[in-house]
Amino acid sequence: MLKPVKILTKMYDVPEGWTLRAYERAGGYQAARKALAMPQTAVIDEMKKANVRGRGGAGFPAGVKWGFMKPDPVKPAYLVVNADEGEPGTFKDRTLMEKDPHRCIEGCIIGSYAIGAHICYIYVRDELHLSKERLWAAIREAKEKGYLGKSPFGGSYGVEVYVHTGAGAYICGEETALLESLEGKRAQPRNKPPFPAVAGLYNKPSAVNNVETLCNVPLIVSKGVEWYTSVGPEKNGGPKLYCVSGHVKKPGVFEASMNVTLRELIDGYAGGVREGRTLKAVIPGGSSVPILMPDQLDTQASFDAIQKAGSLLGSAAIVVLDDTTCMVWLAENLLHFYRHESCGKCTPCREGTDWLYKIVRRIEQGIYLLKRAKRRRNEGLVQLLLACPVKGWFQPADRK
C-alpha cells in the first residue's frame, strides 16, 4: 500500500486554499517571519545542509547556487523564479501557483532575503492565465497584510515581488534565455561564464530558481533540516511532485518522497497502463531525457537513481507509453516540437533539428523503405508497401 504524502499539496483540497486566510490557518508565513530574524548566511547554510535539489530539471543544489551570490556594495541582486514550465509533459508548477500561490510568495521572501535581493520576478509563461491571476492576488494580499513591501513583518529588510509574463517559448525555460527575455530581448541562451550569480538580470548578481524549489524553502525553515532530509533517500530529501501522463488510467500530479519507484507511481498513483494494453517504455523526466524500459520500473524516482539507470529525472514529467506506440512516430513528434522551438542561435540545433525531423519523417512515412526497395528492384516489397492503406505505407503493427 502506498502511503500518500500531503506536504506541498496539502492546500490543494482546502476550499479556497489559494487565499491568504486559508494559508495562514495552515501556518503560512511563519517560516518567512522566522527566516528574516536569522542572519542571511544562516538561511543559506540551512539550505546547503538540507541539500535541496533544484526541481526545475538539473537537480543542482539550491543552497550551493545561493552560496555563489556575493554581497556587492554597489550592485543590486535579484531573485528570479522560473515558472515558464515549457517541457512537454510537465504541469506541476502551474498547480502550485494556482492552488497554493502564497507558498511560492513565502519562498520568494525567504530566498530574496538569503541572497541579498530586494526584488523578485516570477517569470510565468503567457498561457498560464489562472497562475498569473492567483499570484497577483496573493501578492496584493501579502502586501496589504504587511508581508511584502518596505518593511515585511515590521522589519527593515524590504522585498517586492512581481509577476512577469513570458512569451511562450520553450527556450525561456533555460535560465539565461529567461533572463534575456525578462530584459525585453530575444530569448537566446547566454554564453557561460559569467554565470548568473555574477552577471545575471541587468548584468547584476542573480539567482534563478524553480517554483517547486522555492516552495520547499519554507518547509526547511519551519520544520528543520533533519525533518526535511528524512523525507526521501540520502541526497534526495524533501517531498517531490511528479507529473504522470500518457497511456495511464489516471493521469495527474502526484506527491511522494523520492523513495517511490516508477512502478509505484505508474501502477499505484496513476492506476496503471490503460485497459488491455501493456507497457512499452517510460520517459521519466520530460521529453528531452533518455527512455527507460519496462524492466527498469523498480528504479527509485530520485535524481541519483534515475541517472544510474541511464536517464534523468529532469522535471519529473513521467510519460507512459503502451504497446500501441510507434517509437518512430514518437521521435518524429518530439523532433517536430524541438525543431519549432529552436531559438536559432546555434547551427547544430537550428539546422540539425530540422534535418533530423525530415529524416525521421521520411522513415515514418515509409519513403525511405520504398526508395530502398526500388533501388534493389524488389518489386514484391514495392507492391506490398504501395498497397498498404495507411499514411505511412505500412501498418502500425509492422513499425518495430
Side-chain angles (χ1 to χ4, degrees):
M1 293 292 291
L2 294 168
K3 192 178 284 187
V5 176
K6 281 282 186 181
I7 302 170
L8 288 173
T9 58
K10 74 175 184 178
M11 300 300 291
Y12 282 26
D13 299 325
V14 176
E16 296 190 331
W18 55 86
T19 62
L20 178 60
R21 182 176 61 257
Y23 188 61
E24 285 188 311
R25 279 202 301 265
Y29 287 106
Q30 293 306 311
R33 194 186 298 273
K34 179 181 176 181
L36 265 63
M38 298 165 60
Q40 290 166 297
T41 53
V43 179
I44 295 178
D45 288 342
E46 290 291 287
M47 288 287 287
K48 286 181 178 177
K49 289 174 189 172
N51 192 40
V52 187
R53 305 286 290 270
R55 268 50 172 172
F60 189 81
V64 175
K65 183 182 280 191
W66 287 6
F68 290 151
M69 300 284 291
K70 304 300 178 188
D72 192 294
V74 179
K75 291 182 178 180
Y78 295 100
L79 176 65
V80 179
V81 184
N82 187 344
D84 186 68
E85 199 165 45
E87 182 85 1
T90 312
F91 43 91
K92 61 182 179 64
D93 292 338
R94 68 180 298 176
T95 65
L96 284 167
M97 292 184 285
E98 291 172 4
K99 296 178 179 290
D100 198 2
H102 280 283
R103 186 180 300 278
C104 179
I105 302 301
E106 186 172 18
C108 291
I109 295 170
I110 299 170
S112 297
Y113 173 70
I115 66 171
H118 293 280
I119 295 178
C120 171
Y121 291 102
I122 306 176
Y123 185 99
V124 186
R125 69 185 295 108
D126 182 50
E127 293 87 344
L128 305 183
H129 301 300
L130 183 57
S131 297
K132 292 181 290 184
E133 180 185 320
R134 293 272 166 85
L135 284 170
W136 274 122
I139 290 168
R140 285 193 297 270
E141 286 184 314
K143 282 184 74 98
E144 288 170 7
K145 199 68 182 284
Y147 298 163
L148 284 173
K150 292 183 178 179
S151 55
F153 308 99
S156 59
Y157 194 91
V159 178
E160 294 285 0
V161 179
Y162 301 98
V163 177
H164 182 90
T165 300
Y170 169 73
I171 195 62
C172 292
E174 195 279 329
E175 63 177 12
T176 59
L178 184 154
L179 295 175
E180 289 284 293
S181 177
L182 196 53
E183 291 177 5
K185 302 171 187 173
R186 182 175 179 177
Q188 290 187 327
R190 299 174 181 175
N191 291 325
K192 293 185 283 190
F195 292 92
V198 177
L201 183 63
Y202 306 123
N203 207 34
K204 304 297 190 295
S206 307
V208 183
N209 292 113
N210 170 258
V211 171
E212 188 189 351
T213 308
L214 285 169
C215 286
N216 274 263
V217 173
L219 297 172
I220 297 161
V221 176
S222 61
K223 294 179 179 290
V225 171
E226 190 175 337
W227 171 87
Y228 187 82
T229 53
S230 70
V231 181
E234 186 181 1
K235 296 182 180 179
N236 292 265
K240 183 79 190 75
L241 297 186
Y242 296 92
C243 318
V244 185
S245 62
H247 298 146
V248 289
K249 295 175 185 174
K250 191 179 71 174
V253 175
F254 305 102
E255 183 179 6
S257 77
M258 284 187 268
N259 286 313
V260 74
T261 65
L262 291 173
R263 188 183 302 280
E264 288 171 333
L265 284 166
I266 295 167
D267 293 341
Y269 287 92
V273 179
R274 58 186 180 175
E275 207 68 50
R277 308 311 324 178
T278 57
L279 184 71
K280 188 169 190 175
V282 176
I283 304 175
S287 61
S288 59
V289 307
I291 289 171
L292 295 181
M293 304 309 290
D295 60 356
Q296 295 173 293
L297 281 191
D298 291 314
T299 302
Q300 216 174 49
S302 66
F303 291 101
D304 296 335
I306 295 287
Q307 187 171 9
K308 191 175 180 182
S311 187
L312 295 165
L313 182 61
S315 59
I318 299 170
V319 183
V320 179
L321 309 168
D322 69 16
D323 57 339
T324 64
T325 307
C326 169
M327 303 309 279
V328 179
W329 171 85
L330 176 69
E332 180 195 359
N333 186 286
L334 294 178
L335 280 167
H336 181 272
F337 172 80
Y338 288 110
R339 164 186 179 242
H340 180 268
E341 293 294 334
S342 173
C343 76
K345 185 172 184 177
C346 307
T347 305
C349 178
R350 183 183 64 245
E351 303 295 331
T353 50
D354 187 54
W355 277 108
L356 283 170
Y357 171 73
K358 288 176 180 176
I359 291 168
V360 174
R361 183 167 173 77
R362 288 173 65 192
I363 295 172
E364 163 65 6
Q365 292 183 335
I367 295 171
Y368 172 74
L369 289 177
L370 181 62
K371 286 189 174 181
R372 188 173 70 173
K374 285 182 176 179
R375 277 201 309 271
R376 295 185 177 182
R377 301 180 186 281
N378 188 336
E379 291 300 320
L381 180 57
V382 170
Q383 293 305 315
L384 177 64
L385 289 169
L386 291 174
C388 287
V390 296
K391 70 176 182 69
W393 300 108
F394 49 97
Q395 297 288 351
D398 300 322
R399 303 176 187 183
K400 298 288 177 76

